[in-house]
């Protein structure tokens, strides 16, 4: 079962157990459901109606034990206010260290505390813990970095390593030039570096820290990529809620609508997405369970001139098959596959994939059924075989965000089912 967010009413129904056992169970259950700020508001009214005055010393003993545990463990377990507030894309604030600098802050589930980093202009970077922005690292800076350990497995296209710039952890990526895959994907990799340099959207795109030829340095995201979704929820079970899972759907579509916005008269489409797991591997989890796009090696540009578009086709990795790609991406003829004859298409191929990605984030738990029903209409529109009749990423985003806010506003009433 998913962990429940914002439980209604008393945390626990008292039975005819002895007083100390009951109050301990009552308080412990409140604690596990993260009702730290409201627990002590319930106790005086709720308990005094049930227990006579002679039992109050025993009850008070249980309360004091819980209060001690609460103060000790509050840093270990997140307050419900830190479980993805309505502003799901972080907050910006002034910081006492540097009042003239704006900071963006999140609640880190890894460190169980608020962490902040400076909000920087194009050509600069800011990492969590930094007091001010710094210009992008140059070749001279990058040559001084020492590789500490490989991150995950070597990819087909690039090597990925941990390192440190000053005291701050970073990731170093370098093109694999010694095998066929690296050579095939080399042009796309270099194009991806240019995209990261020029398309400055730190809320949706992995933050660039520096670059030199075929080497880039980026921000670290310790929760790694979205292929490990269920593993991360097992590691952080208090965040395994409908709210967190729906936030991932919203975050994913927010990235798409930004890429499809026509920035600099270009629409960006992710071509390295032949199946769900491959696509999930292109996104990293932030430490407040949002997404950032990390792999832009196979992005295609749709040039936009007013209402006219220069269409694309994704052919670098060969023929696509199965139900995950959009129908227009599949080879439509009986003759042998020939990439040069494949019809062109646009960004609506990514709209087709949205339902599969969102359902992946929501998981299979029975408690998600009602939420999935509320998404059925918009998902049906996304799966229209006629790409012109599919909604835009902006339209899907607005629908997702409305449903998300309705969940928060209603305290999840009508969105949860129990076994």
């Amino acid at each position: 079962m998913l962990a429940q967010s914002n439980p209604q009413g008393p945390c626990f129904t008292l039975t005819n157990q002895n007083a100390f056992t009951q109050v301990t169970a009552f308080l412990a259950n409140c604690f596990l459901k993260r009702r730290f700020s409201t627990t002590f508001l319930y106790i005086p009214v709720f308990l005094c109606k049930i227990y006579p005055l002679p039992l109050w010393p025993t009850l008070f003993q249980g309360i004091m034990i819980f209060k001690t545990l609460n103060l000790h463990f509050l840093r270990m377990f997140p307050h419900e206010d830190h479980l993805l507030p309505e502003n799901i894309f972080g907050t910006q604030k002034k910081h006492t260290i540097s009042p003239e600098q704006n900071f963006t802050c999140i609640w880190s589930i890894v460190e169980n505390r608020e962490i902040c980093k400076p909000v920087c202009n194009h050509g600069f970077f800011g990492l969590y813990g930094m007091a001010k922005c710094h210009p992008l690292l140059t070749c001279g800076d990058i040559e001084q970095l020492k590789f500490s350990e490989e991150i995950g497995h070597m990819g087909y296209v690039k090597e990925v390593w941990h390192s440190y710039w000053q005291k701050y952890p970073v990731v170093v990526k370098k093109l694999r030039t010694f095998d066929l895959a690296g050579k095939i994907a080399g042009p796309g990799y270099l194009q991806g570096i240019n995209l990261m340099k020029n398309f400055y959207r730190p809320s949706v795109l992995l933050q660039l820290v520096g670059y030199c030829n075929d080497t880039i340095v980026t921000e670290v995201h310790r929760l790694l990529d979205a292929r490990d979704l269920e593993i991360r929820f097992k590691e952080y079970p208090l965040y395994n809620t409908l709210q967190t899972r729906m936030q991932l759907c919203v975050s994913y579509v927010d990235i798409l609508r930004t890429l499809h916005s026509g920035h600099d008269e270009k629409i960006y489409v992710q071509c390295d997405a032949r199946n769900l797991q491959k696509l999930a591997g292109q996104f990293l989890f932030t430490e407040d369970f949002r997404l950032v796009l990390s792999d832009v090696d196979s992005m295609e540009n749709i040039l936009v001139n007013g209402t006219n578009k220069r269409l694309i086709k994704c052919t670098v990795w060969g023929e696509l098959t199965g139900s995950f790609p959009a129908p227009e991406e599949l080879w439509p003829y009986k003759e042998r596959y020939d990439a040069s004859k494949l019809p062109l298409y646009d960004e609506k191929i990514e709209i087709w994939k949205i339902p599969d990605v969102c359902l992946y984030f929501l998981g299979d738990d029975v408690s998600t059924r009602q939420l999935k029903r509320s998404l059925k209409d918009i998902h049906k529109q996304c799966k229209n075989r006629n790409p012109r009749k599919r909604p835009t990423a902006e339209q899907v985003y607005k629908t997702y965000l409305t449903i998300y806010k309705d969940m928060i506003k209603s305290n999840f009433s009508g969105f949860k089912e129990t076994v």
Side-chain angles (χ1 to χ4, degrees):
M1 287 291 294
L2 301 184
Q4 292 185 2
S5 297
N6 301 316
Q8 298 293 305
C11 307
F12 189 77
T13 303
L14 297 178
T15 64
N16 59 354
Q17 303 168 359
N18 65 70
F20 185 80
T21 301
Q22 288 186 60
V23 77
T24 301
F26 168 73
L27 295 171
N29 202 320
C30 290
F31 175 74
L32 290 174
K33 292 185 177 180
R34 304 179 304 286
R35 298 206 59 129
F36 303 116
S37 60
T38 56
T39 297
F40 294 103
L41 297 178
Y42 282 123
I43 292 170
V45 176
F46 187 59
L47 294 183
C48 71
K49 292 182 179 179
I50 299 176
Y51 293 103
L53 189 61
L55 289 179
W56 279 37
T58 303
L59 299 176
F60 182 75
Q61 180 184 2
I63 291 171
M64 294 309 296
I65 291 173
F66 173 78
K67 184 177 180 180
T68 302
L69 290 173
N70 182 31
L71 292 174
H72 179 70
F73 286 106
L74 187 55
R75 290 183 176 272
M76 294 180 60
F77 293 95
H79 189 288
E80 66 181 34
D81 291 343
H82 298 134
L83 291 180
L84 319 176
E86 287 189 47
N87 178 10
I88 61 175
F89 302 115
T91 58
Q92 291 196 12
K93 59 173 69 174
K94 296 288 185 181
H95 201 286
T96 55
I97 296 176
S98 181
E100 71 281 0
Q101 172 72 61
N102 283 330
F103 287 78
T104 182
C105 301
I106 64 170
W107 182 264
S108 167
I109 69 169
V110 177
E111 299 187 20
N112 284 308
R113 65 182 181 90
E114 186 181 64
I115 58 176
C116 299
K117 63 182 178 181
V119 177
C120 303
N121 293 325
H122 192 195
F124 293 78
F125 70 92
L127 303 174
Y128 287 110
M130 290 176 60
K132 61 181 181 180
C133 299
H134 190 282
L136 293 177
L137 301 185
T138 63
C139 291
D141 300 318
I142 294 172
E143 288 173 359
Q144 302 301 315
L145 299 179
K146 296 181 180 179
F147 299 168
S148 57
E149 61 177 321
E150 179 191 342
I151 299 177
H153 300 287
M154 288 287 187
Y156 289 113
V157 177
K158 52 188 173 288
E159 302 172 6
V160 185
W161 300 87
H162 265 305
S163 186
Y164 282 87
W165 172 74
Q166 297 184 1
K167 64 178 181 179
Y168 303 102
V170 293
V171 172
V172 180
K173 302 179 182 180
K174 185 175 177 60
L175 178 66
R176 289 168 60 105
T177 57
F178 49 81
D179 62 15
L180 181 60
K183 293 177 181 178
I184 293 175
Y189 175 82
L190 296 176
Q191 180 177 306
I193 294 179
N194 286 327
L195 174 60
M196 296 185 74
K197 287 160 50 179
N198 300 321
F199 189 78
Y200 185 67
R201 295 292 187 276
S203 63
V204 301
L205 190 63
L206 179 64
Q207 183 178 203
L208 184 66
V209 172
Y211 60 92
C212 178
N213 299 322
D214 63 355
T215 300
I216 59 173
V217 183
T218 68
E219 185 176 15
V220 168
H221 289 281
R222 291 177 283 187
L223 297 183
L224 302 180
D225 69 59
R227 288 174 294 185
D228 293 331
L229 174 72
E230 299 302 332
I231 294 175
R232 297 294 163 258
F233 281 135
K234 287 180 181 178
E235 292 175 345
Y236 302 96
L238 290 180
Y239 291 86
N240 186 13
T241 66
L242 286 177
Q243 185 177 349
T244 311
R245 288 175 176 269
M246 186 60 197
Q247 175 181 265
L248 289 171
C249 294
V250 177
S251 182
Y252 172 69
V253 179
D254 182 50
I255 293 173
L256 289 188
R257 74 173 184 134
T258 304
L259 295 174
H260 296 180
S261 65
H263 174 75
D264 290 340
E265 298 185 336
K266 293 180 181 178
I267 292 173
Y268 297 96
V269 178
Q270 176 60 273
C271 279
D272 197 5
R274 61 189 309 116
N275 56 56
L276 180 57
Q277 282 298 302
K278 185 65 176 175
L279 180 59
Q282 317 301 316
F283 296 86
L284 296 173
F285 291 124
T286 63
E287 292 184 22
D288 59 344
F289 268 124
R290 292 179 296 105
L291 299 171
V292 291
L293 177 61
S294 65
D295 195 332
V296 292
D297 297 348
S298 298
M299 300 292 286
E300 287 286 345
N301 303 332
I302 298 176
L303 299 182
V304 180
N305 182 11
T307 58
N308 298 319
K309 297 179 182 178
R310 182 186 68 83
L311 303 181
I312 62 166
K313 52 185 173 183
C314 299
T315 59
V316 67
W317 296 114
E319 182 181 3
L320 299 178
T321 59
S323 60
F324 185 70
E328 59 269 29
E329 292 183 271
L330 304 177
W331 178 243
Y333 310 119
K334 294 182 179 180
E335 61 188 87
R336 186 181 180 88
Y337 175 76
D338 183 347
S340 65
K341 297 180 180 180
L342 189 69
L344 300 173
Y345 39 77
D346 62 14
E347 75 277 8
K348 290 299 185 72
I349 63 172
E350 297 197 292
I351 305 301
W352 172 273
K353 301 180 179 81
I354 288 176
D356 300 283
V357 176
C358 184
L359 293 178
Y360 167 71
F361 288 137
L362 294 181
D364 298 325
D365 193 271
V366 65
S367 61
T368 65
R369 287 179 180 173
Q370 181 56 39
L371 175 55
K372 289 175 181 177
R373 281 195 283 268
S374 69
L375 297 168
K376 188 175 181 179
D377 287 344
I378 188 65
H379 283 178
K380 184 177 180 180
Q381 295 175 46
C382 293
K383 288 294 187 180
N384 196 308
R385 296 188 67 84
N386 183 346
R388 294 184 178 182
K389 294 184 178 181
R390 293 173 204 154
T392 64
E394 180 69 29
Q395 291 169 327
V396 179
Y397 172 79
K398 289 180 178 179
T399 301
Y400 274 14
L401 196 60
T402 297
I403 293 172
Y404 179 86
K405 289 182 176 179
D406 286 346
M407 290 171 57
I408 304 298
K409 188 176 181 179
S410 67
N411 286 327
F412 297 85
S413 176
F415 287 94
K416 292 186 293 189
E417 297 184 6
T418 57
V419 178

